[in-house]
């Protein structure tokens, strides 16, 4: 049986470190690090994520405000709000919850965020810095939260040098997870393959992986025959599936029960990567506050 990768415990340890850092920063600067979360519309999943981000920020001694905007909003007023948040010196981090409604130009909104306050790491400047980084963690870049959480879990599981030379397969090429994670794993000296919907033999590619990260949003796609015995498997998928009795439950992209029989280690859903995403957001908010105080851009 695979070892369980406990994202809840890892996230609690990271939040503990961020709480200490936030308290020290507040003592020095006279105020805690401050996060602004922008939520457009009322999607239940987004509402839940945003509430949990703001609550966790406050738990670690940061301050957080949620700005709720109507689902009918256009690109211009959204960009104007971001321009205002960029100007305000007491705002350290800005996060715009995705997805945005179809009428909004998402790349334009993300590009409007001051890169120094971009705690999601989605601004093209921060994406470019990550793409070119030799050592993204010591360079203190603002790295997208889910990939950063994945890297931390892999380092916990395999040891700091345990990633070197490993065949890593990233399933999914989104700008939120797949692409930045591929850049991070490459910087960690893995041999990286990105598998996507047009790949000819996704199962065969995944079977070659020593490290497999599934991030496609397809419930249970990765079955036993997709995973080499002894692989380390991270499941980024968070899919709500309906059950016959009318209730629903969260499942990942990996068929957990069957893959857990042969993998060396596996992260569950829920309780795996998800909690690390939020903890990494708090880490990035503290990092943005520190960097801005030191005059960084
Ligand atoms: N929607 C799904 N994941 C994320 C994320 O990491 N950040 C933001 N802003 N929106 C998301």
């Amino acid at each position: 049986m695979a070892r369980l990768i406990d994202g809840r415990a890892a996230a609690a340890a990271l939040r503990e470190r961020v709480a200490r850092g936030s308290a020290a920063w507040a003592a020095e600067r006279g105020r805690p690090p401050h996060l602004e979360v922008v939520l457009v519309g009322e999607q239940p999943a987004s509402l839940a994520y945003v509430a949990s981000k703001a609550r966790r920020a406050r738990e670690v001694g940061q301050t957080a405000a949620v700005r709720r905007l109507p689902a009918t909003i256009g690109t211009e007023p959204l960009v104007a709000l971001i321009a205002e948040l960029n100007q305000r010196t007491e705002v350290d981090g800005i996060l715009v919850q995705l997805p945005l409604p179809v009428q909004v130009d998402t790349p334009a909104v993300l590009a409007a965020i001051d890169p120094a306050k971009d705690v999601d790491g989605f601004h093209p400047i921060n994406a470019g810095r990550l793409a070119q980084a030799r050592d993204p963690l010591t360079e203190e870049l603002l790295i997208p939260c889910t990939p950063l959480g994945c890297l931390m879990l892999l380092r916990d599981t395999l040891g700091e040098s345990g990633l070197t030379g490993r065949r890593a397969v990233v399933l999914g090429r989104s700008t939120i997870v797949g692409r930045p994670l591929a850049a991070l794993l490459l910087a960690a000296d893995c041999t990286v393959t990105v598998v996507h919907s047009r790949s000819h033999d996704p199962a065969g590619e995944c079977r070659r992986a020593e490290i497999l990260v599934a991030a496609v949003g397809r419930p249970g796609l990765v079955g036993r025959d997709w995973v080499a015995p002894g692989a380390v498997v991270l499941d980024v998928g968070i899919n709500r599936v309906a059950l016959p009795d009318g209730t629903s439950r969260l499942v990942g992209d990996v068929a957990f029960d069957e893959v857990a029989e042969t993998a060396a280690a596996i992260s569950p859903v829920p309780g795996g990567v998800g909690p690390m995403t939020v903890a990494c957001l708090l880490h990035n908010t503290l990092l943005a506050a520190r960097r801005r105080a030191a005059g960084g851009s």
Side-chain angles (χ1 to χ4, degrees), residues 46 49 53 95-99 120 122 144-146 176-177 277:
S46 290
Y49 291 139
K53 288 169 182 180
L95 176 148
V96 178
Q97 184 65 27
L98 302 179
D120 254 332
F122 294 159
C145 304
T146 302
I176 295 182
V177 185
T277 295

Side-chain angles (χ1 to χ4, degrees), residues 3 36 46 63 104 146 204:
R3 176 147 70 92
E36 290 276 341
S46 290
T63 51
V104 175
T146 302

Side-chain angles (χ1 to χ4, degrees), residues 26-107:
E28 199 177 303
R29 309 290 306 180
R31 65 164 181 86
H34 179 71
L35 171 68
E36 290 276 341
V37 182
V38 178
L39 172 63
V40 177
E42 318 239 318
Q43 276 196 34
S46 290
L47 276 166
Y49 291 139
V50 162
S52 130
K53 288 169 182 180
R55 175 172 61 87
R56 291 295 193 189
R58 292 176 192 129
E59 278 174 15
V60 297
Q62 301 177 349
T63 51
V66 176
R67 294 180 179 260
R68 293 192 55 177
L69 300 164
T72 51
I73 198 169
T75 304
E76 250 179 58
L78 205 44
V79 167
L81 168 64
I82 290 167
E84 184 205 319
L85 298 175
N86 286 344
Q87 288 300 320
R88 285 182 30 201
T89 51
E90 80 281 11
V91 173
D92 297 296
I94 302 170
L95 176 148
V96 178
Q97 184 65 27
L98 302 179
L100 292 169
V102 284
Q103 78 276 9
V104 175
D105 181 346
T106 299

